[in-house]
Amino acid sequence: MDFNMKKLASDAGIFFTRAVQFTEEKFGQAEKTELDANFENLLARADSTKNWTEKILRQTEVLLQPNPSARVEEFLYEKLDRKVPSRVTNGELLAQYMAEAASELGPTTPYGKTLVKVAEAEKRLGAAERDFIHTASINFLTPLRNFLEGDWKTISKERRLLQNRRLDLDACKARLKKAKAAEAKATCEGDTVPDFQETRPRNYILSASASATLDDTSCPPSWSEWKEQYPGGWRPPCLFLLPLNPSVTRARGCLSLPKDRKLWNDEVDKAEQELRVAQTEFDRQAEVTRLLLEGISSTHVNHLRCLHEFVESQTTYYAQCYRHMLDLQKQLGRFPGTFVGTTEPTSPPLSSTSPTTTAATMPVGPSVAGLGPPGEAALCLEEVAPPASGTRKARVLYDYEAADSSELALLADELITVYSLPGMDPDWLIGERGNKKGKVPVTYLELLS
């Protein structure tokens, strides 16, 4: 494998320079370029959006699939890019058990018939649950996952690049500051020698002119020749800070300082040029990151639309469940102790055990034998007369839609006449309005004295 050693060394030096800058900032030993308040607000909003999106996603997954093992299995299938196998819902499994129990216990018995009808209802509930899970996964969970695995990863990558550009910029500022300080010190003190290694990045290599070495074959100059060439006294080598020894200087490949201070100016100019480049790269990366962070607003709009679709699918699911259970309730009968297929008469509930004391104090009329099934109740109610003990007035609290022909539809704030019949559910009364008559729920009424 072909390695570029120069590039590897350069990258390692840049990484080390950033690490030093970051550490010095943490200990308060270096200045840090601060972002503007609006940029900080965008960063905080993006982080908040990411955190809450993760929480909502996880809890929605728990809502749709409470079984953690099933969730892990679905996650693995998704990562392997394979279709998730169809799984039986809890309602469908319950329906299967009820159907098998009815088949074994006898589908013609009252209990068997009821098991069959409940099994059919549970099967429909399971199918509705399956449709809800599928719809919610596509319309709600998938957009949230796409944001976390797509847009947010891009934002995080650009934010890391911005952090590196900021560290480079601050390191360039620090080098320029040190170079100017050394130049000012050298101007005041003629014998001061700059430590260029402190003002350059760790991976910096001096130019050819600055790192030129003496010829290995040449003889080292005498001490008198050095003093004549540099009247001000010669200085230590620029890179290694070795003792004043010309032969050691030649052996190490270093060159003593030039007579003038042009090298100081070159060092400051290079530091300023690097600072301008670092500032340009930082500004460009900050603008790219800002545009991505401002796109969080579009993410919120998209998530809002998905949330509306999730609510719609959930509303549809619960409406289907209510309709299925209402149909089951009608099939099983609305009165306690009355089941489909049974012909045994039911005894009236005791008033002492009734949770509703209002119906126990109502005037009681003659009993109706065929009050059990809804269809027969509508025929018998036409022949029922108000009890001799009298009736009571009641005010309707809420609108009520009759479920079948044996019930009386109600409108809020209207007044009706009510009374009770032996054998009735204490939660229901017989209501009359004009020539119309039917059962009404007690909870929808306010009995007047």
Side-chain angles (χ1 to χ4, degrees):
M1 187 176 293
D2 186 15
F3 289 101
N4 190 336
M5 297 304 298
K6 289 186 178 180
K7 184 177 185 304
L8 183 62
S10 176
D11 293 341
I14 293 175
F15 175 80
F16 185 74
T17 302
R18 291 171 178 171
V20 172
Q21 179 67 25
F22 183 80
T23 304
E24 291 178 350
E25 290 176 358
K26 289 299 181 181
F27 285 98
Q29 299 176 358
E31 297 180 359
K32 177 181 178 181
T33 301
E34 300 292 342
L35 303 172
D36 59 86
N38 182 41
F39 201 98
E40 293 289 350
N41 292 335
L42 292 176
L43 290 175
R45 188 177 68 158
D47 291 335
S48 180
T49 301
K50 180 254 184 181
N51 294 334
W52 285 112
T53 300
E54 287 181 337
K55 293 180 180 180
I56 293 174
L57 175 62
R58 287 196 299 267
Q59 194 57 38
T60 306
E61 290 176 344
V62 173
L63 173 66
L64 299 180
Q65 180 51 264
N67 188 350
S69 300
R71 292 201 302 271
V72 172
E73 181 182 353
E74 292 176 357
F75 175 79
L76 294 177
Y77 274 102
E78 181 181 355
K79 291 303 180 182
L80 295 175
D81 197 16
R82 298 180 59 183
K83 183 179 179 181
V84 179
S86 179
R87 184 179 290 105
V88 179
T89 62
N90 294 329
E92 292 174 333
L93 187 60
L94 177 60
Q96 179 182 346
Y97 290 162
M98 287 184 173
E100 293 176 357
S103 177
E104 184 173 346
L105 298 176
T108 59
T109 63
Y111 183 45
K113 290 182 179 179
T114 305
L115 281 175
V116 171
K117 291 186 178 297
V118 176
E120 294 175 353
E122 292 296 335
K123 185 176 181 179
R124 291 193 292 267
L125 291 177
E129 180 183 3
R130 184 193 304 275
D131 294 340
F132 166 63
I133 293 175
H134 179 71
T135 304
S137 298
I138 294 178
N139 296 337
F140 189 62
L141 293 184
T142 300
L144 298 185
R145 290 196 189 99
N146 292 339
F147 167 72
L148 294 176
E149 298 176 0
D151 296 346
W152 181 252
K153 286 187 176 180
T154 303
I155 293 175
S156 300
K157 177 182 177 181
E158 297 300 331
R159 288 177 65 175
R160 288 192 297 269
L161 290 177
L162 178 64
Q163 175 75 352
N164 293 336
R165 296 291 181 267
R166 186 194 62 76
L167 291 174
D168 294 342
L169 176 62
D170 292 337
C172 290
K173 290 180 179 179
R175 287 196 295 270
L176 179 60
K177 184 177 179 180
K178 291 179 181 179
K180 288 185 177 180
E183 181 185 24
K185 185 176 180 180
T187 303
C188 299
E189 301 176 5
D191 291 337
T192 302
V193 180
D195 186 0
F196 293 102
Q197 196 68 6
E198 291 295 326
T199 61
R200 307 306 303 168
R202 271 61 179 179
N203 63 324
Y204 182 77
I205 301 176
L206 289 177
S207 61
S209 59
S211 60
T213 60
L214 295 174
D215 188 3
D216 293 337
T217 60
S218 61
C219 298
S222 64
W223 180 253
S224 59
E225 292 176 351
W226 278 92
K227 293 191 66 176
E228 291 177 0
Q229 188 175 1
Y230 301 97
W234 86 287
R235 304 170 180 82
C238 59
L239 293 181
F240 300 97
L241 301 180
L242 298 176
L244 297 177
N245 190 323
S247 61
V248 174
T249 303
R250 181 185 63 79
R252 294 299 185 187
C254 288
L255 187 66
S256 60
L257 288 178
K259 302 175 184 179
D260 55 13
R261 305 191 182 281
K262 183 176 182 300
L263 193 58
W264 280 117
N265 297 330
D266 293 343
E267 181 68 17
V268 174
D269 292 342
K270 290 178 181 178
E272 290 178 346
Q273 176 63 24
E274 290 179 355
L275 178 60
R276 286 192 294 270
V277 174
Q279 184 70 53
T280 301
E281 293 179 352
F282 172 77
D283 293 340
R284 184 185 301 111
Q285 185 61 37
E287 185 63 23
V288 171
T289 308
R290 183 190 298 274
L291 292 177
L292 290 175
L293 294 176
E294 290 175 350
I296 293 293
S297 299
S298 301
T299 301
H300 289 179
V301 174
N302 184 36
H303 289 183
L304 176 61
R305 178 183 58 81
C306 297
L307 186 60
H308 279 288
E309 295 179 355
F310 174 72
V311 172
E312 289 293 333
S313 61
Q314 199 170 25
T315 303
T316 303
Y317 167 63
Y318 286 122
Q320 290 176 348
C321 293
Y322 173 76
R323 184 169 62 252
H324 295 327
M325 295 309 298
L326 189 61
D327 294 341
L328 177 62
Q329 187 182 33
K330 291 179 180 180
Q331 293 178 13
L332 298 182
R334 304 188 60 85
F335 301 101
T338 304
F339 300 96
V340 175
T342 182
T343 57
E344 299 179 1
T346 58
S347 59
L350 298 178
S351 59
S352 59
T353 61
S354 172
T356 307
T357 58
T358 306
T361 61
M362 288 297 301
V364 180
S367 61
V368 180
L371 199 58
E376 299 180 6
L379 298 177
C380 297
L381 285 175
E382 299 296 336
E383 304 174 359
V384 173
S389 57
T391 60
R392 294 185 63 174
K393 291 291 185 180
R395 186 174 67 87
V396 179
L397 299 177
Y398 320 102
D399 292 344
Y400 177 74
E401 183 178 355
D404 51 49
S405 58
S406 66
E407 297 180 0
L408 180 65
L410 303 176
L411 295 176
D413 296 329
E414 69 174 342
L415 294 178
I416 62 173
T417 302
V418 294
Y419 53 88
S420 180
L421 296 176
M424 284 189 62
D425 187 341
D427 292 335
W428 294 81
L429 297 174
I430 300 298
E432 293 185 359
R433 183 181 60 241
N435 59 352
K436 295 183 179 181
K437 184 186 303 182
K439 300 195 299 330
V440 293
V442 176
T443 54
Y444 283 70
L445 303 176
E446 178 187 1
L447 297 179
L448 304 177
S449 58

